[in-house]
Amino acid sequence: MAGTKLLMTFPVTATSHTLADYRARGGYATLARVLREMKPEDVTKEVTASGLQGRGGAAFPVGRKWQVVHLDDGQPHYLCANADEGEPGTFKDRWILENAPHLLLESMLIASYALQVRNAFVYIRGEFDLPYRRLAAAVEEAYGAGYFGERILGSDFSCDVVVYRGAGSYVCGEASALITSIEGKRGYPRNRPPRLTVRGLYQKPTVINNVESLANITGIIANGAEAFRKVGTAKAPGTRLLSVSGHVERPGVYEVESGYPFRDFLREELGGVLGGRALKAVIPGGISAKVLTAAEIEPLALDQSVFEAAGSTLGSGGMIVIAEGTCMVRLLQVMLRFYHHESCGQCTPCREGMGWMHRVIDRIVAGQGRPEDVATLYHVSRWNDGTTICGMGDAAGYATTAILDKFRDEFDYWIANGRSKHRGVLEVGNA
Amino acid sequence: MKHLVPEFERLKARFPAGFESSLVLPCLRRIQEDRGFVADSDIAGLAAYLGVPRIQIEEALSFYTQFRRKPIGRWHVQACRNVSCSMRGAERLIDHLRRRLGVAPGETTPDGRFTLSTVECLGSCGTAPVVMVNDAYHEGMTAEKIDALLAGLE
């Protein structure tokens, strides 16, 4: 067991996602107590004191985001749960949506009370079918039980929720693009300032939190900030849901207490690298997180601050394990094809840069690489940094340069010899 | 589109007042479920119904990859080819699908039965490789499993 668990605390059964089962686990009791006993600002204080960091990728403190919203500004406020899980390698919010939809909804109600939100939204990626059906059914159950709607549980608090489905766009997971998408437009990110907590959905103050961030709220309020801070580390309290894929014996979603050693996690929980191979590298937090070599990651604790100090991030929790023998040139090719495909086209450096890098890597893989190609990839990566509205261009550049820095020999080899230093594939087989 | 208006009205009631523009994506999704694609007449009809500019609907249609302007096969086979799926055999699986269906990604079989597409990350990386057929995910796919699946789809 990778330490204390806060979210994956019950056995998943055929009915564990239903309202009846959730209530049997104590569900919605925290909401009832909040509405009876707490003032909205007390909820925000508790969340701030918990030190909860966002789980969507940027690790921004949740309480600090909430504090920007002024409760008495006379405007409507909106809350959006970001369920547009699309960072490659990430599938942990799907676990919550499928198995604990009421935990998300109760947490959203508590957050909506704290932020005085009348209308809340869940933005869920368009491809998610079962997660959508589970969540939509949970919403109907919650309305039926009086947890949403007018004067909830006899209080003065009223709140409605809409589950809004995306339609196939990676960039809509970026908070400002998500808002533009809920407005029924192309999902173009917006320049900040103003922050979305000042001018968000239809220009009104809007808080956007990742599904896992929100799912932690009910427990924080139920047990107090102090109890939450006892779990994990001082700099990164609580747990992380890590979705693990790639060359590993037991891929899946794991809840890990912050600070748990990576080495133990790989050996005990994941069953080691596929087929007992040696570990080559790990992309620790979605493909936009900088790759770490085996030597770099093996001594680390699974703690956001530790990964930041090591030059990477636990990001979205999408951990991709890469075995020895994997071709890193092909890996970068797949990544750049993806970024090129998903660039929304709004900013020139990203729109042109992603296509340029994609053409360069395709040329290398086709055996027509030129001596200056690696320098070009570096150049375009750096040229993207800080020159685009959203972070996608930056992130693609960081991910690219990390691979080039750490596996440069494979690129030089392919350019010089017209073929992969390894077998030119991403699959390693089971032998 | 007109026969869907009662459904659209129920949908609208769920949103706050003044959110008509937000209905563009859910209405397009419903139209596509109904017709199989979004036709020119749907764009004009939806723009008039919601009171939004026609160009907003055109822009949404050309931006979001799940929307279609043309009919496709009865079964839409979408194979993920992103990092995690490729690491667990997606590239071989997609080659197999091309041979098995006799079409390249983006094409439809002459009998109108299957359309093959490749897609980027469906969020199912732990059970890679994943293939989505219409709305359903099929996880941990192999050539044998895909053959059995396709054989059962008329």
Side-chain angles (χ1 to χ4, degrees):
Chain A
M1 291 279 282
T4 304
K5 298 203 189 302
L6 300 173
L7 301 173
M8 299 174 100
T9 52
F10 57 93
V12 171
T13 67
T15 59
S16 53
H17 58 280
T18 62
L19 177 60
D21 280 36
Y22 184 63
R23 287 212 316 224
R25 297 195 294 269
Y28 291 105
T30 309
L31 173 70
R33 188 171 66 75
V34 164
L35 295 181
R36 211 169 46 234
E37 296 172 6
M38 290 178 83
K39 291 201 290 259
E41 49 271 39
D42 296 338
V43 176
T44 300
K45 265 185 208 147
E46 204 65 24
V47 170
T48 306
S50 76
L52 174 66
Q53 297 172 324
R55 304 294 199 234
F60 190 81
V62 174
R64 258 174 59 202
K65 196 184 267 187
W66 289 17
Q67 281 172 339
V68 178
V69 177
H70 296 288
L71 296 185
D72 51 1
D73 60 2
Q75 310 183 67
H77 309 147
Y78 300 117
L79 172 74
C80 299
N82 186 344
D84 193 48
E85 185 163 60
E87 176 66 24
T90 315
F91 49 100
K92 47 100 184 169
D93 293 333
R94 193 179 145 194
W95 187 91
I96 295 172
L97 297 164
E98 289 182 4
N99 298 302
H102 283 288
L103 177 63
L104 173 64
L105 294 177
E106 181 174 11
S107 292
M108 287 182 71
L109 282 158
I110 294 168
S112 294
Y113 177 72
L115 298 161
Q116 293 294 289
V117 164
R118 181 66 178 77
N119 292 95
F121 299 84
V122 182
Y123 187 95
I124 185 169
R125 66 176 295 180
E127 295 87 350
F128 274 174
D129 182 48
L130 179 63
Y132 168 74
R133 286 188 280 118
R134 285 271 171 93
L135 182 65
V139 165
E140 297 311 314
E141 283 183 316
Y143 265 103
Y147 297 127
F148 282 99
E150 302 282 337
R151 302 183 61 82
I152 294 164
L153 304 178
S155 71
D156 291 335
F157 175 62
S158 301
C159 186
D160 284 294
V161 67
V162 169
V163 181
Y164 199 89
R165 302 183 79 179
S169 164
Y170 167 69
V171 80
C172 285
E174 196 273 346
S176 66
L178 182 152
I179 275 179
T180 318
S181 183
I182 298 187
E183 291 176 358
K185 300 171 190 156
R186 285 184 159 207
Y188 282 155
R190 297 181 189 171
N191 263 316
R192 270 146 299 176
R195 280 188 280 189
L196 301 174
T197 40
V198 176
R199 282 175 187 235
L201 185 59
Y202 292 105
Q203 300 298 314
K204 302 294 187 241
T206 305
V207 168
I208 297 155
N209 287 135
N210 168 262
V211 165
E212 181 191 347
S213 314
L214 283 166
N216 273 293
I217 298 296
T218 299
I220 287 169
I221 299 303
N223 305 313
E226 208 171 311
F228 183 78
R229 291 201 79 109
K230 284 201 179 113
V231 181
T233 62
K235 284 187 178 166
T239 63
R240 292 290 306 245
L241 291 185
L242 299 179
S243 59
V244 186
S245 64
H247 301 145
V248 68
E249 281 292 331
R250 291 194 291 269
V253 182
Y254 294 83
E255 183 170 20
V256 177
E257 183 170 354
S258 181
Y260 190 75
F262 169 79
R263 208 189 297 265
D264 295 351
F265 180 54
L266 178 62
R267 191 181 56 227
E268 306 294 330
E269 306 278 317
L270 305 179
V273 179
L274 194 64
R277 283 186 166 70
L279 180 67
K280 178 172 189 173
V282 175
I283 299 175
I287 66 163
S288 301
K290 288 183 184 174
V291 68
L292 293 170
T293 64
E296 286 173 323
I297 197 171
E298 271 167 352
L300 300 186
L302 294 165
D303 170 318
Q304 175 62 17
S305 64
V306 169
F307 273 67
E308 282 174 18
S312 187
T313 177
L314 286 172
S316 64
M319 181 175 281
I320 303 173
V321 175
I322 301 166
E324 204 57 74
T326 307
C327 177
M328 301 305 273
V329 179
R330 290 292 328 285
L331 181 82
L332 184 63
Q333 184 191 27
V334 171
M335 286 167 52
L336 290 175
R337 181 181 67 203
F338 167 77
Y339 288 122
H340 182 203
H341 182 261
E342 296 297 341
S343 175
C344 81
Q346 195 178 200
C347 311
T348 308
C350 176
R351 181 185 64 241
E352 301 303 320
M354 296 304 138
W356 190 359
M357 293 205 287
H358 184 196
R359 287 191 298 277
V360 169
I361 194 84
D362 275 357
R363 182 163 75 210
I364 294 171
V365 168
Q368 290 153 4
R370 302 170 192 166
E372 70 275 18
D373 277 348
V374 172
T376 303
L377 292 173
Y378 272 113
H379 172 74
V380 180
S381 294
R382 288 181 185 141
W383 182 55
N384 261 299
D385 191 5
T387 58
T388 51
I389 292 172
C390 84
M392 185 184 136
D394 307 351
Y398 303 153
T400 300
T401 53
I403 291 177
L404 294 173
D405 286 344
K406 295 172 188 183
F407 301 98
R408 174 70 186 257
D409 59 317
E410 296 188 32
F411 290 83
D412 290 341
Y413 186 94
W414 202 319
I415 291 168
N417 299 288
R419 61 185 165 84
S420 174
K421 192 176 177 187
H422 301 287
R423 293 177 306 126
V425 290
L426 296 177
E427 218 184 341
V428 291
N430 287 307
Chain B
M1 187 213 97
K2 283 210 177 68
H3 66 288
L4 296 173
V5 166
E7 263 187 66
F8 293 169
E9 286 294 311
R10 285 196 294 278
L11 193 64
K12 200 191 273 184
R14 286 242 154 163
F15 283 80
F19 271 53
E20 283 74 17
S21 171
S22 293
L23 291 168
V24 168
L25 299 191
C27 288
L28 285 175
R29 176 182 281 271
R30 187 65 193 89
I31 288 166
Q32 182 164 289
E33 278 170 4
D34 189 57
R35 191 195 288 282
F37 66 101
V38 179
D40 289 346
S41 60
D42 296 323
I43 297 172
L46 189 61
Y49 169 70
L50 294 176
V52 302
R54 204 184 143 128
I55 185 67
Q56 183 185 335
I57 297 173
E58 300 261 13
E59 282 191 344
L61 285 169
S62 61
F63 183 81
Y64 295 98
T65 56
Q66 287 194 300
F67 293 134
R68 296 186 293 267
R69 296 299 318 278
K70 288 188 182 127
I72 57 163
R74 290 193 294 284
W75 301 100
H76 191 193
V77 180
Q78 304 189 74
C80 176
R81 59 174 186 169
N82 206 283
V83 172
S84 300
C85 278
S86 292
M87 290 175 78
R88 299 304 288 257
E91 295 182 332
R92 279 190 297 118
L93 193 67
I94 292 165
D95 285 344
H96 177 79
L97 277 166
R98 294 172 79 118
R99 283 196 304 274
R100 176 75 170 60
L101 298 176
V103 293
E107 295 176 355
T108 301
T109 55
D111 60 1
R113 194 163 149 215
F114 295 108
T115 297
L116 177 63
S117 300
T118 53
V119 289
E120 300 291 356
C121 201
L122 294 171
S124 195
C125 324
T127 44
V130 60
V131 174
M132 189 175 172
V133 180
N134 291 356
D135 289 336
Y137 280 20
H138 299 273
E139 299 169 272
M141 292 311 281
T142 60
E144 295 72 41
K145 281 163 90 173
I146 203 93
D147 285 346
L149 176 68
L150 297 181
L153 305 175
E154 274 313 305

